[in-house]
């Protein structure tokens, strides 16, 4: 994600913001700086990049606490993410058998009406992992419908 943000910046490393473009991108990602603080980006020549960056940052604002950014328009409801999910596997007997979880099973991910939903973002194991965070749902999704940011 950081790389995508850098790509939307002018990449001049002019340091008018007091740092390099890569460092500035990091502060955009953390929310500590806004695009308005890059004077170069305000120039007409960079209008297209500025618009792309705004769109990218708006999508980031929609991410779940666990980091999931789900594009349901890409989801085909295959359920692969549900049965490979680290939390689901540890807590759902049905998932361990390669099936969708029962209605009364508490799970992080499930498919509802043919599309994936983050049933409970608080159950995602990423929230407890400082490093080597789980990314199985993202890694196994055949349509790139799940992005972890
Ligand atoms: S002012 Fe903008 S273009 Fe210049 S280094 Fe900072 S982020 Fe990059
Ligand atoms: S990141 Fe891991 S634990 Fe969290 S929802 Fe995805 S597969 Fe499940
Ligand atoms: S998010 Fe991906 S893996 Fe999960 S159900 Fe949708 S298409 Fe399948």
């Amino acid at each position: 994600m950081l790389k995508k943000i850098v790509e939307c910046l002018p990449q001049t490393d002019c340091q008018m913001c007091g740092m390099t473009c890569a460092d500035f991108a990091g502060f955009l990602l953390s929310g500590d700086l806004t695009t308005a603080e890059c004077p170069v980006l305000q120039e007409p020549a960079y209008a297209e990049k500025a618009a792309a960056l705004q769109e990218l940052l708006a999508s980031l604002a929609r991410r779940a606490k666990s980091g999931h950014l789900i594009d349901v328009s890409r989801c085909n409801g295959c359920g692969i993410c549900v049965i490979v999910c680290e939390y689901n596997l540890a807590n759902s007997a049905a998932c361990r058998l390669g099936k969708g979880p029962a209605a009364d099973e508490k799970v992080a991910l499930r498919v509802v009406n043919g599309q994936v939903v983050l049933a409970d973002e608080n159950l995602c194991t990423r929230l407890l992992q400082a490093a080597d965070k789980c990314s199985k749902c993202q890694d196994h999704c055949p349509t790139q419908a799940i992005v972890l940011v």
Side-chain angles (χ1 to χ4, degrees):
M1 185 51 67
L2 196 62
K3 190 167 163 262
K4 281 189 185 172
I5 294 177
V6 174
E7 282 167 5
C8 291
L9 286 171
Q11 296 181 65
T12 62
D13 280 339
C14 69
Q15 305 226 349
M16 283 170 72
C17 59
M19 60 193 91
T20 63
C21 289
D23 288 343
F24 189 81
F27 284 107
L28 285 179
L29 186 59
S30 65
D32 292 316
L33 288 177
T34 68
T35 56
E37 283 153 294
C38 166
V40 186
L41 200 59
Q42 316 310 316
E43 295 172 8
Y46 292 106
E48 209 171 301
K49 275 180 179 268
L53 184 55
Q54 288 298 359
E55 200 175 310
L56 192 60
L57 294 174
S59 73
L60 279 177
R62 293 195 296 272
R63 70 186 152 180
K65 193 162 54 174
S66 49
H68 288 74
L69 197 54
I70 297 179
D71 182 352
V72 288
S73 69
R74 284 175 171 256
C75 174
N76 62 19
C78 69
I80 292 172
C81 58
V82 175
I83 59 169
V84 299
C85 170
E86 204 168 81
Y87 182 89
N88 287 12
L89 279 177
N91 295 280
S92 160
C95 287
R96 283 196 291 279
L97 293 172
K99 299 178 187 166
D104 61 349
E105 284 183 313
K106 275 182 168 281
V107 288
L109 287 171
R110 63 168 70 236
V111 171
V112 178
N113 296 330
Q115 284 187 318
V116 72
V117 294
L118 193 55
D120 189 341
E121 61 180 317
N122 295 312
L123 297 181
C124 172
T125 57
R126 289 175 65 84
L127 292 175
L128 301 172
Q129 295 163 331
D132 296 326
K133 291 180 188 245
C134 175
S135 61
K136 292 192 173 64
C137 52
Q138 171 187 260
D139 299 344
H140 291 274
C141 174
T143 64
Q144 289 81 50
I146 298 178
V147 176
L148 294 162
V149 293

